Amino acid sequence: MKKLLIASAIALATLSVQAQEKITFAMEPSYAPFETTNEKGEIIGFDVDVANALCAELKATCEFKANSFDSLIAGLKFKKFDAVISGMDITEARAKQVAFTNPYFDSTASFLAVKGKATPETAKTVGVQNGSTFQQYLVKNGKQYTLKPYATLQTAVLDLKSGRIDMLFGDTPVLAEWLKTDSELDYVGEKVTDKEFFGNGLGIAVNKSNTELLNKLNGALATIKSNGKYQEVYNKWFAK
């Protein structure tokens, strides 16, 4: 009888593990501190830790996939992954294609330049990440600039320092990460908030048909914000 009970317990435990939900998150891992890769090639960052906290709350396992930023929404629509958490601003245009959770991070944009080289008034060429809301904002509101799109911010920063572009426009906390280690660069002009393109906060995107996952993520997000886990993750990546 004891052997039967032990065998049954093992079988139930095995089924529980096998039945555990897996949530595959896609992201563009060159966007520190939200997501980047470490020396082992592992994807790490604020978004990764938030996703892991949500999975822990949902008793699910997280899996992370690297994708170019401008292919994230298309991949989600074709169900290549379950969700996108990649420093993605909640916008009306994107919300027509995918569903967003409640915001998990407030967002603003800033200009970055080599110290003493340019200002928003004198700059002619501006680098921006391709497919981002920052690019869309400048297409509409920065007609005085020649825009140069980049697949990654790393490449844009290299061009900024070499003089190929005058300024870089992007997510304020991401640009702040560069300023921690690069004394040549600094913010220029004022922070920018525009509800049409950014300023509604960052959200986790899911396929519009997956309302079950959307509701689960919203519930887990509310929980980790109330129990202090979200604040722990925030302090790890953003506290001075």
Side-chain angles (χ1 to χ4, degrees):
M1 180 62 74
K2 285 184 178 180
K3 289 182 179 179
L4 286 173
L5 290 173
I6 292 171
S8 297
I10 292 173
L12 286 171
T14 302
L15 285 172
S16 177
V17 171
Q18 290 175 342
Q20 188 174 41
E21 181 181 9
K22 181 177 75 173
I23 304 174
T24 302
F25 290 91
M27 52 185 53
E28 198 277 290
S30 63
Y31 208 60
F34 290 99
E35 44 268 330
T36 188
T37 51
N38 61 17
E39 62 279 359
K40 298 178 181 178
E42 300 166 328
I43 304 176
I44 61 169
F46 174 75
D47 283 350
V48 173
D49 286 355
V50 168
N52 279 322
L54 295 174
C55 283
E57 183 63 34
L58 295 172
K59 294 180 174 54
T61 57
C62 277
E63 181 178 282
F64 300 102
K65 295 181 67 172
N67 274 76
S68 62
F69 190 84
D70 55 6
S71 70
L72 288 172
I73 287 182
L76 190 58
K77 290 170 70 175
F78 283 103
K79 300 182 180 181
K80 293 182 178 180
F81 27 80
D82 301 311
V84 167
I85 182 167
S86 192
M88 183 173 283
D89 288 284
I90 300 170
T91 67
E92 184 178 347
R94 285 174 176 158
K96 291 177 180 177
Q97 303 181 73
V98 297
F100 281 103
T101 63
N102 297 325
Y104 70 92
F105 194 89
D106 294 330
S107 58
T108 63
S110 294
F111 289 100
L112 200 66
V114 176
K115 289 179 179 177
K117 293 291 185 180
T119 69
E121 293 72 34
T122 64
K124 295 181 179 179
T125 57
V126 180
V128 68
Q129 187 168 27
N130 193 41
S132 68
T133 50
F134 310 108
Q135 181 185 34
Q136 295 163 15
Y137 171 84
L138 287 180
V139 167
K140 180 177 179 180
N141 300 289
K143 297 186 185 300
Q144 69 272 34
Y145 302 126
T146 297
L147 303 185
K148 187 170 182 181
Y150 291 89
T152 67
L153 285 179
Q154 286 91 331
T155 307
V157 169
L158 289 174
D159 274 8
L160 178 64
K161 295 176 70 172
S162 66
R164 293 187 181 92
I165 56 175
D166 300 319
M167 293 191 307
L168 177 60
F169 187 63
D171 203 331
T172 300
V174 174
L175 299 183
E177 195 70 11
W178 286 101
L179 296 182
K180 290 179 183 179
T181 57
D182 200 321
S183 60
E184 291 183 57
L185 307 177
D186 204 358
Y187 293 124
V188 288
E190 299 294 325
K191 290 181 181 178
V192 181
T193 300
D194 187 305
K195 290 290 184 180
E196 182 180 355
F197 299 97
F198 43 84
N200 296 306
L202 308 182
I204 302 169
V206 302
N207 188 287
K208 274 186 172 290
S209 66
N210 201 347
T211 54
E212 181 181 1
L213 178 59
L214 182 69
N215 292 333
K216 284 182 177 180
L217 290 173
N218 272 328
L221 182 59
T223 299
I224 67 171
K225 283 186 172 182
S226 64
N227 66 15
K229 183 59 183 176
Y230 176 89
Q231 192 62 45
E232 288 179 22
V233 174
Y234 182 92
N235 290 345
K236 173 183 174 181
W237 293 99
F238 296 105
K240 299 295 184 181

